[in-house]
Amino acid sequence: MWDKPTLLNWIANLLFAVSIVVMLYAALYVVVHLPIFPLREVKVEGQLNHVNREQVKLIVAKHLKGNFFTLDLIKARDAFEKLPWARSVSVRRRWPDKLEVVIEEHQALARWGNVALVNTHGELFHAASGSELPMFYGPGDGVIEVASQYAEFSKTLKNANLAIANLALTPRRAWQVTTTDGMVVELGRVEMQRRLEKFVSAYSSTIAGLNMKVTYVDLRYPNGFAARRPAEAKPLSEDKNSAKATGVSKASGNSKTGGTGKANENKLNSTNPAGTLQPGNKKPAEINKQQT
C-alpha cells in the first residue's frame, strides 16, 4: 500500500475531512451549550379555564431543561400533557429566546359514574370539577356512544323543557334517561330517537297537564307509552283543598272540615284512571297508558 501514492493521498484527504467535521461538531456543541442562548420566555396560549399560572411555572421549573437549542421539545410536550385538563399540547421554539406552548383543554360534558369525566369528544379524563354535570353509566367501550346519544336526546327533550340528569346504557344495550326533575324514561334498545320524539310531542298535552308528579315513563310500547306516579303522591288540587279545609277548622273550631277533606279525597280518587300493565311486571301500581 505504501508504494501506491494515489491511495495514500485519498486516505489522507479522507482523514483530514473527518477531522474537520469532528472539530466543527465539537465547536458547534460547545457553542450551543454555552449560556448565551437561554430561554427567556415561555408563552402559553389557548382558551384556558382550568390550567393556571402556578401549574405552568411548576412545569417550567421541573421539566424545561436546557437552552433554546438543547431543550427537548418532546419531553416538554409530555410534561404539559400531564396536566389533568390538558387534552392536547403543541410546543415550538420561536427565535431567539421564546418557547410557545398551545394547550387545548378538555371540555367537560358529563361524569362517567364515579370514575372519571367525559369530554365533548367522548373521551375519558381524570380531573376535579365542581360543576353540576349529568351522570353517564355504561360499559367501558360505550363512552363515545353514550356521549353521542346524550347530544341527540338532550336536543329532543329540550322541546319539552326537560333536561337529562342521568343517562344509562345497560349491558344489553338498552337506554334509560333520568330527567332533572326525577322522571325515569325507558327507551329500550331500538328506535330510541323515534320513541322519544313521539313522547315529547305528546308531553305537553298529557303528562305536563297532570296535576301530579310522574316518576316513571315507559316508551317501549308500539303505539303509546305508560306513565306512573308514586303511590303516596297526591294531586296538587287535593293539597290546596286540604290546606283550605285546615284553615276553616282553625277559624271555626268545629269538625266539619274533616268531612269536607274526606269528601274531596274520595272525589279525587274516583277520577284516577285505570291501570295498564307495564312490560316485565304483572300488576304495577298506578300505570296510565297514553296512546300517541
Side-chain angles (χ1 to χ4, degrees):
M1 180 182 68
W2 302 108
D3 58 349
K4 297 180 179 179
T6 303
L7 180 61
L8 292 175
N9 289 335
W10 185 86
I11 294 175
N13 292 334
L14 178 63
L15 292 176
F16 179 75
V18 170
S19 62
I20 293 296
V21 171
V22 171
M23 291 176 63
L24 289 176
Y25 176 80
L28 182 62
Y29 181 85
V30 172
V31 171
V32 165
H33 285 77
L34 289 175
I36 59 176
F37 299 106
L39 278 174
R40 301 183 185 275
E41 181 181 357
V42 177
K43 185 178 180 181
V44 179
E45 299 177 336
Q47 296 182 353
L48 304 180
N49 298 315
H50 300 89
V51 176
N52 55 49
R53 185 180 183 89
E54 287 70 24
Q55 291 174 323
V56 174
K57 291 175 66 175
L58 181 62
I59 290 176
V60 171
K62 291 184 63 176
H63 300 282
L64 301 190
K65 305 298 183 181
N67 59 25
F68 181 82
F69 293 105
T70 60
L71 176 68
D72 191 328
L73 294 184
I74 295 178
K75 290 183 178 180
R77 184 194 63 195
D78 292 343
F80 280 102
E81 285 182 342
K82 291 179 181 179
L83 292 171
W85 284 92
R87 179 175 181 264
S88 65
V89 178
S90 62
V91 180
R92 63 180 178 179
R93 299 181 180 92
R94 182 70 68 183
W95 180 262
D97 57 2
K98 184 185 297 184
L99 183 69
E100 290 186 351
V101 182
V102 180
I103 300 177
E104 178 192 357
E105 282 192 346
H106 292 284
Q107 300 297 321
L109 177 67
R111 301 182 188 276
W112 188 258
N114 297 320
V115 177
L117 298 176
V118 183
N119 66 17
T120 52
H121 298 274
E123 301 166 342
L124 294 181
F125 67 102
H126 299 273
S129 175
S131 303
E132 291 187 6
L133 299 171
M135 192 76 74
F136 290 172
Y137 300 96
D141 60 347
V143 182
I144 295 178
E145 185 179 1
V146 174
S148 176
Q149 288 294 345
Y150 171 78
E152 296 294 330
F153 294 162
S154 295
K155 183 178 179 181
T156 302
L157 289 171
K158 187 177 181 180
N159 297 326
N161 295 322
L162 296 173
I164 297 177
N166 296 339
L167 178 59
L169 175 63
T170 69
R172 298 179 64 249
R173 318 306 287 187
W175 293 89
Q176 183 187 80
V177 172
T178 303
T179 63
T180 51
D181 60 359
M183 181 172 62
V184 177
V185 182
E186 294 285 359
L187 296 173
R189 294 184 293 174
V190 296
E191 298 183 331
M192 296 85 63
Q193 188 63 30
R194 184 184 67 83
R195 291 172 175 175
L196 195 60
E197 289 174 355
K198 290 177 64 177
F199 169 70
V200 168
S201 65
Y203 178 81
S204 59
S205 59
T206 55
I207 294 179
L210 294 177
N211 209 17
M212 62 187 67
K213 181 179 179 180
V214 174
T215 59
Y216 182 86
V217 177
D218 194 340
L219 308 185
R220 293 173 293 180
Y221 291 89
N223 297 314
F225 61 85
R228 180 174 66 202
R229 67 178 176 87
E232 68 277 5
K234 293 182 179 180
L236 299 180
S237 59
E238 181 181 347
D239 294 337
K240 294 179 180 178
N241 291 333
S242 299
K244 292 180 180 178
T246 303
V248 173
S249 177
K250 290 181 178 179
S252 62
N254 56 38
S255 60
K256 292 181 179 180
T257 305
T260 303
K262 186 175 182 181
N264 288 335
E265 182 178 359
N266 292 334
K267 182 178 179 181
L268 290 169
N269 288 337
S270 65
T271 60
N272 286 342
T276 57
L277 290 181
Q278 175 191 355
N281 294 333
K282 292 183 178 180
K283 192 176 181 180
E286 301 296 342
I287 301 290
N288 304 326
K289 185 173 181 182
Q290 172 66 33
Q291 297 292 332
T292 59

